[in-house]
Amino acid sequence: MGQYGLTFWMPTLVKNAGVKDTLMVGVLSAIPYVCAAITMVLIGRSADARRERRWHLVVPALMGAVGFAVVATAGNNVALSIVFLSLAAAGVLTCAPLFWSLPTAFLQGTAAAAGIAAINSVGNLAGFVSPYMIEALKDMTGSTSAGMYALAGVLVLGCIAVLRTPPKLEHAFLDRFAAAAKDGFEGVEFLFPYDFDKADIRARLDDAGLTQALFNAPPGDWTGGERGIASLPGREAEFKRGIATALEYAQVLGNTRLHVMAGLLPAGADRARHHATYVSNVAYAAREAAGAGVTIVLEPINTRDMPGFFLTHQAQAHAVCKEVGAANVKVQFDLYHAQIMEGDLSVKLKQYVDGVGHVQIAGVPDRHEPDEGELHYPHLFALLDALGYNGWVGCEYRPRAGTSEGLGWLKRWRESQR
């Protein structure tokens, strides 16, 4: 809105400052754009050098707001008007390229496409409305000042919205493989690959020299709050289609572990019926996966982070594996979830290690790096080695700051193993 308002009303604002000659109006109107071009280059370089976008967007937007607000009070002071029109132009025009880095930072795949389309639609509508809004305010008040204040207010609201958006992702999905390899990882796991082409992911794995350790089967409507459908009666056909899709990806990506999420148990639901559905679906997944050399893993998840989840304890998960009776069904032992739900991890590992197909870690209780909180991971790592566990250990935690910055614990542990 600020950009369109500036473009349409710049000559009028210069003329209102007391410049009558048409040629001089044109010359003076060019000065803010020259300032904007210089500012765009400088701030763009700063944003790239610091790998930061949010504040590099907010600060120019606030510059634009200040510029518009002062222009509204400049009256016939030509010099003051040009200086602050230059500030407004530098701020507003610098925002545009920086803004477009934000949607793809926290939206991926089809969500990114839909989000960008929606943003374009709103932006085009604002561009259509802003000149007419300023004209209407000018007719109501007899000056352009009210319109400038309105544009300043819109920019401030935009800054608030940007600061309240989710923090940007450190890397776009397909760029994370190279970043993981650079930080010394040999394998990777992620939630879902289905918004991306299998061949593209495989190429990134090969380029980075990484092994795909695990990903999840389709979970139902994830954005709508579903957390798996394996235990949901009436969704069996959808579950089977999801397993087929997941195995197609696994065959290309090369992972031998596929996590099947149980889902949420609705309040008042018949647990026995959901259990029967779960066992039947897991057995089906195991049969389909066996031919592809893939092991199905089941993860108990704590009810603090995921209230209502069907599978919550190690004993429950291992009992399901036993009931299914397939050699390629094992438990995904997440030490974070297990500590919250039941504790006594050393005993649990000794008791169940033969049925464990994948391990995940995080600090407890805040789910940050594993070097903080109530678990002593060096002991648990040594125990896993002593018990003969030779599978992957996935780092499923939320970094306190950045991912790379938080890997000091891993470097220290590796040094201790030399």
Side-chain angles (χ1 to χ4, degrees), residues 5 52 60 82 177 189 243 306 314 323 345 400 417:
E52 198 283 330
I82 296 302
F177 298 89
E189 63 177 90
I243 291 298
M306 203 172 287
Q314 291 297 310
E323 187 172 354
L345 296 186
R400 290 182 290 259
Q417 302 304 299

Side-chain angles (χ1 to χ4, degrees), residues 177 186-188 190 193 198-199 201-203 205-206 210-215 245-258 292-295 392:
F177 298 89
E186 298 176 5
V188 294
F190 43 72
K198 298 183 285 292
I201 301 175
R202 180 76 230 187
L205 287 165
D206 291 341
L210 293 170
T211 299
Q212 183 68 48
L214 171 142
F215 60 79
T245 299
L247 291 175
E248 289 176 5
Y249 271 82
Q251 288 180 316
V252 174
L253 302 187
N255 54 295
T256 60
R257 297 291 186 268
L258 178 65
V294 172
T295 294
W392 291 101

Side-chain angles (χ1 to χ4, degrees), residues 191-192 216-229 235 238 259 261 301 306 309 396:
L191 282 174
F192 313 111
N216 295 348
D221 183 6
W222 184 266
T223 57
E226 289 190 324
R227 294 297 180 263
I229 59 174
R235 304 285 290 276
E238 180 184 352
H259 175 210
M261 297 188 73
I301 295 178
M306 203 172 287
F309 197 71
E396 193 181 51

Side-chain angles (χ1 to χ4, degrees), residues 30-252:
I31 294 175
Y33 291 104
V34 173
C35 295
I38 296 171
T39 304
M40 289 171 69
V41 172
L42 294 176
I43 291 184
R45 286 181 176 177
S46 174
D48 287 342
R50 292 169 174 78
R51 296 185 179 182
E52 198 283 330
R53 295 291 185 267
R54 190 179 300 249
W55 285 103
H56 282 82
L57 170 59
V58 167
V59 171
L62 292 175
M63 287 167 49
V66 171
F68 281 129
V70 175
V71 166
T73 62
N76 292 328
N77 190 322
V78 177
L80 188 65
S81 294
I82 296 302
V83 167
F84 282 93
L85 278 173
S86 297
L87 183 68
V92 168
L93 296 177
T94 298
C95 287
L98 290 167
F99 170 80
W100 286 111
S101 68
L102 293 182
T104 53
F106 55 88
L107 295 174
Q108 299 290 327
T110 56
I116 290 170
I119 292 167
N120 267 317
S121 299
V122 173
N124 289 334
L125 180 62
F128 176 79
V129 168
S130 60
Y132 291 100
M133 178 192 76
I134 296 173
E135 177 69 28
L137 291 171
K138 181 175 179 291
D139 291 341
M140 291 171 58
T141 63
S143 77
T144 56
S145 295
M148 296 301 101
Y149 286 131
L151 293 180
V154 168
L155 286 169
V156 171
L157 290 174
C159 291
I160 294 171
V162 167
L163 291 174
R164 290 180 63 85
T165 55
K168 75 179 187 67
L169 300 176
E170 294 177 271
H171 303 281
F173 178 76
L174 291 175
D175 294 334
R176 296 175 197 168
F177 298 89
K182 184 178 179 181
D183 281 332
F185 288 97
E186 298 176 5
V188 294
E189 63 177 90
F190 43 72
L191 282 174
F192 313 111
Y194 310 110
D195 283 339
F196 300 89
D197 185 84
K198 298 183 285 292
D200 289 342
I201 301 175
R202 180 76 230 187
R204 298 301 177 107
L205 287 165
D206 291 341
D207 290 345
L210 293 170
T211 299
Q212 183 68 48
L214 171 142
F215 60 79
N216 295 348
D221 183 6
W222 184 266
T223 57
E226 289 190 324
R227 294 297 180 263
I229 59 174
S231 69
L232 304 186
R235 304 285 290 276
E236 290 86 354
E238 180 184 352
F239 177 82
K240 292 178 180 179
R241 291 193 299 270
I243 291 298
T245 299
L247 291 175
E248 289 176 5
Y249 271 82
Q251 288 180 316
V252 174

